[in-house]
Structure formats: C-alpha cells, structure tokens
Amino acid sequence: MNEELRQKVVKQFEKLNLQYNRELQETVSFAAKLCQTPVSLITLLDKNTQWVKLKKGLNIDRIPRELSFCTNVIKRKRLFIVNDTHQETRFSNHPFVIGDPKVRFYAGAPLITHDGHCVGTLCVMDYKPRMLTSQQKLIFKILAKHTISVMELKLSFEQLDNSLANLKQIRDHKAGDEIKLRSMFESLTDAYFLFGKAGEIVDFNRAAYDFVKDTYDVRLTYGRAMAHFLTLSYRETFAVNYRKALNGTGAHLERLADYGSKGKVWWDCVFTPVRNDTGEIVGVSYVARNINDRKLIEKQIIEKNRLLLKVAEIQSHDYRGPVATILGLMGLIKEDNYVASKEYLVMLNTAVEKLDEKIHEVVNIVNGPIVSKKKARLL
C-alpha cells in the first residue's frame, strides 16, 4: 500500500461536509442498531490523526493515530473485531480501555475506494464485551461498502462543481481581457494593419510583422498587398469585408486559418473604417487576435456541461432502483430484529453492487480526460 498516495486521497475526503449527508447519517444509525452497540462512527485516517466525520453515541471529533483502534483495519484492509479488550494483551492497557470511554468491544470495517485505497472505517464500539453473528458481520461489511460508495459520489460531484467554477472564472477573465484590448490602437499583442484605399499596407505593429515573418519567412514592408499574406480560402472573404469597411460599414468575424505545417489558428478579425479629420474614409484598419485559448475553453465548457448532463441522467434514472431496494431491505431486516435471511442478503448485496457500479461509472466520467489542452501559438 502506498501510504503517501493513500493520505492524498484521504485529504480529498476530509474537505467534504459528510456530516450533513442523510444517507451516511442513516448508515451510522443502522450500524449501531445492527450490532446493538451504543457507539457507531465513520472515520478517516490521515498521517497523524483519525478524524471522526459522523458519529453516534460518542462526542469526539479526532483521535491521535497512535491511539486509534482503526489503524488495525487500515493495515489489514478487512473486517477487524475485538470481542473483549480486557482479554487482548495489545489492548488491555490501552488508554481508551483503562480510562474513558472504557471500550470493551470494537468492530471496524474498511472504507476502500474504487482505486483500492483504504481511507477510513465504519466502526462500532460498546462498553461491554460482545460478539457478532456471521449475518451481522456480512451486513456490516455491506454497509461499509455502501458508505464509501456514497462518499465517492459526493467527492465526484464536488470535483465536477469545482471544475465548472474554474472554467467559468477563466472564461470571465478572458472576456474582460477582450474588452480591454478591443481598441485597435491600444493593442500590443494583436496583429494590427492599416490599409490605404487601394488595399496597400500603410502601417503595422510588431505582432503583425512577427506573424508574417514566422509564417511566410518574409519581412513585412509598407506598400505591399495584404492578399500575399492570406490563405486562399480567406482571400475572397477578406476582400468583401475590406470593401464594406471602405464604404463605411465595419465588420467582425471569427475564422479558423490553416497554415499547413505551421498549424491552425483561430482568429478574431475586425475591419474598421479609418477617417481623417474631415470625416472622409481614407483607409481600413484590420485587427487580428489569436483566440485559440478562448476556443479551447469554450470546448472544455461544452464538454463539461455534456458530462454534467450525463451524470445527472445516471443519478435520476439508475440510482433510484438500488437505493430503494437497499432502504426497503434495511427496513425488512429491522422488522426482523436485524436477522436477515439469505435471500435478503443476496438481494441487498446485488443492490449495493449495482449502486457501486453506477457510482464507479460517474467517478470515471468525472475523472476521465476532457480535452487535451494544447499551447496556443501565434502564427
């Protein structure tokens, strides 16, 4: 077991407000009733501390790891039971046995993620010796599996919400930058050209010069025609919008330019009439802004929204059946004084496996690759 990696996974779960989850609250209560113990806990174990995330019957929030009974569960990754601490040499002098809360019985089941990391336990304790039947042990292990499934689902939704929030923040930041850079004369990174009435290049900035040099290996000079530096597929569109601007109507368009071995670039292009002091149109300004980053972010947002809809569909259609079955069977087991038939246990295990399968599907959707982010190039 990679302890360092396990602790990183634990840190992710520690940030969640698990104590407000209704399903986990009911699981803690059910575990105590199942094992007929006054204390039931859901815990997480990091490097130095056992954190009590949900509790019943014991008012405690943390335990030093060296004093934690649950450390034995983490090491073994299986159900661990101490029927009578007074009869176990390794626990008979334990501070929690000879002092408060005077634990005599302990049972802990591991909480193992779909990646195989044991992050904590579902455990019960009593102040007197006790033994669990084979049925109680089986149901207790099923409850632990259900517990980690609910925790992973909550973590997946939290990560998806954070990803969407980060993408929105980046998008809003980009939008703000675009407003600031809208003025063609204040632009420093956009390619800026000034054309005369005959279409000749009258002026340009450094970004325009670098673009032409890098793409065509030509030094940009005054008086040349812009058509020499346009892709064949764009020349007619450029000419149409240039003439519109020359006639007094500005134009704005986005286009994808393919420069062959130099790559592809998304451009945001603006044509604006240029007037002299008397209002006469004497030329056209042309500003081309590389928007590869913005297009990538838009694509990521669209994909994230698609995944969110897919997750919501799974939640609304595929979770209800297994959850209803689990709750129904728990109710029947409760009515039978927590004695379950083999038929109930098989049905309960099937429902938990089905729910676990769907939760793994959601986890894989959220953690899977979305869009490979490539560094945008100014060509």
Side-chain angles (χ1 to χ4, degrees):
M1 177 175 65
N2 187 325
E3 178 62 15
E4 183 177 350
L5 182 57
R6 187 195 73 82
Q7 290 178 23
K8 290 182 179 179
V9 177
V10 171
K11 291 296 183 183
Q12 293 179 322
F13 285 104
E14 286 179 355
K15 298 176 182 178
L16 301 178
N17 294 321
L18 299 177
Q19 63 271 27
Y20 302 115
N21 186 276
R22 183 180 61 83
E23 285 191 64
L24 294 180
Q25 291 172 345
E26 292 177 354
T27 299
V28 168
S29 178
F30 186 84
K33 292 178 181 179
L34 171 70
C35 301
Q36 299 179 357
T37 59
V39 177
S40 178
L41 310 172
I42 292 177
T43 73
L44 295 171
L45 193 69
D46 64 17
K47 183 177 181 180
N48 300 310
T49 307
Q50 177 183 0
W51 299 96
V52 180
K53 304 299 290 185
L54 286 96
K55 55 195 173 186
K56 175 179 173 58
L58 188 64
N59 187 22
I60 191 169
D61 295 319
R62 66 178 70 180
I63 300 171
R65 178 165 179 166
E66 63 270 20
L67 298 180
S68 170
F69 281 67
C70 296
T71 301
N72 297 278
V73 181
I74 302 297
K75 291 179 180 178
R76 292 169 174 78
K77 297 182 71 171
R78 63 175 182 269
L79 182 65
F80 177 75
I81 299 176
V82 181
N83 295 316
D84 187 351
T85 56
H86 287 187
Q87 303 302 317
E88 291 277 352
T89 304
R90 54 184 166 169
F91 297 111
S92 59
N93 292 320
H94 193 283
F96 291 166
V97 174
I98 60 179
D100 291 332
K102 298 183 179 179
V103 178
R104 291 292 298 274
F105 168 81
Y106 170 86
L111 302 180
I112 302 175
T113 68
H114 71 284
D115 290 328
H117 300 294
C118 187
V119 296
T121 66
L122 170 66
C123 64
V124 293
M125 291 183 286
D126 204 344
Y127 309 123
K128 59 183 178 181
R130 181 175 297 282
M131 295 184 67
L132 299 182
T133 66
S134 59
Q135 283 189 330
Q136 286 175 314
K137 293 177 183 178
L138 178 57
I139 297 175
F140 191 62
K141 288 189 289 186
I142 291 175
L143 283 177
K145 190 174 182 180
H146 173 67
T147 298
I148 189 61
S149 294
V150 173
M151 291 168 61
E152 283 190 296
L153 179 61
K154 184 171 178 60
L155 179 61
S156 296
F157 279 123
E158 187 89 358
Q159 291 173 336
L160 185 59
D161 287 342
N162 290 338
S163 296
L164 288 172
N166 289 337
L167 282 175
K168 183 179 184 301
Q169 184 178 9
I170 293 173
R171 182 189 62 188
D172 293 344
H173 179 69
K174 290 290 182 181
D177 286 346
E178 287 182 5
I179 293 173
K180 295 176 183 178
L181 296 173
R182 182 57 65 183
S183 171
M184 58 183 175
F185 294 110
E186 295 177 354
S187 174
L188 296 176
T189 59
D190 301 340
Y192 166 69
F193 296 85
L194 177 62
F195 304 116
K197 296 183 71 172
E200 75 281 12
I201 298 175
V202 176
D203 201 1
F204 50 85
N205 68 350
R206 184 69 189 184
Y209 178 90
D210 290 342
F211 160 71
V212 172
K213 182 68 171 62
D214 294 342
T215 305
Y216 302 102
D217 196 25
V218 173
R219 295 182 183 276
L220 187 60
T221 57
Y222 302 117
R224 299 199 65 172
M226 187 63 180
H228 294 123
F229 312 115
L230 301 174
T231 59
L232 289 175
S233 61
Y234 182 54
R235 288 180 183 176
E236 181 59 29
T237 301
F238 178 88
V240 170
N241 287 283
Y242 170 78
R243 288 192 294 267
K244 286 174 60 178
L246 202 57
N247 290 326
T249 303
H252 176 221
L253 60 90
E254 292 181 0
R255 70 183 186 94
L256 178 62
D258 187 349
Y259 299 108
S261 61
K262 297 290 185 177
K264 298 180 180 180
V265 176
W266 272 100
W267 294 106
D268 181 23
C269 305
V270 179
F271 298 78
T272 306
V274 176
R275 304 174 187 270
N276 60 19
D277 294 339
T278 63
E280 178 188 1
I281 296 177
V282 295
V284 174
S285 74
Y286 176 69
V287 180
R289 177 179 299 124
N290 184 319
I291 56 172
N292 276 356
D293 283 345
R294 196 191 78 192
K295 286 295 183 180
L296 177 61
I297 291 168
E298 289 174 355
K299 187 175 181 180
Q300 288 178 321
I301 291 173
I302 291 172
E303 181 63 8
K304 281 287 187 180
N305 287 337
R306 185 187 69 80
L307 293 180
L308 185 61
L309 289 174
K310 186 174 182 180
V311 169
E313 182 179 356
I314 293 174
Q315 183 185 28
S316 60
H317 292 89
D318 296 339
Y319 285 172
R320 292 181 179 178
V323 171
T325 300
I326 292 171
L327 294 177
L329 289 171
M330 285 182 176
L332 293 174
I333 293 172
K334 180 179 179 180
E335 290 178 2
D336 292 337
N337 197 26
Y338 302 100
V339 176
S341 66
K342 181 178 180 180
E343 181 183 4
Y344 283 178
L345 294 176
V346 171
M347 293 173 65
L348 186 61
N349 191 62
T350 300
V352 169
E353 289 180 347
K354 183 64 176 178
L355 182 60
D356 188 60
E357 175 189 339
K358 290 301 175 182
I359 288 174
H360 285 177
E361 184 176 346
V362 171
V363 171
N364 290 334
I365 290 173
V366 174
N367 293 337
I370 305 301
V371 175
S372 297
K373 185 174 182 181
K374 298 181 179 179
K375 183 178 180 181
R377 298 169 59 196
L378 179 61
L379 299 178

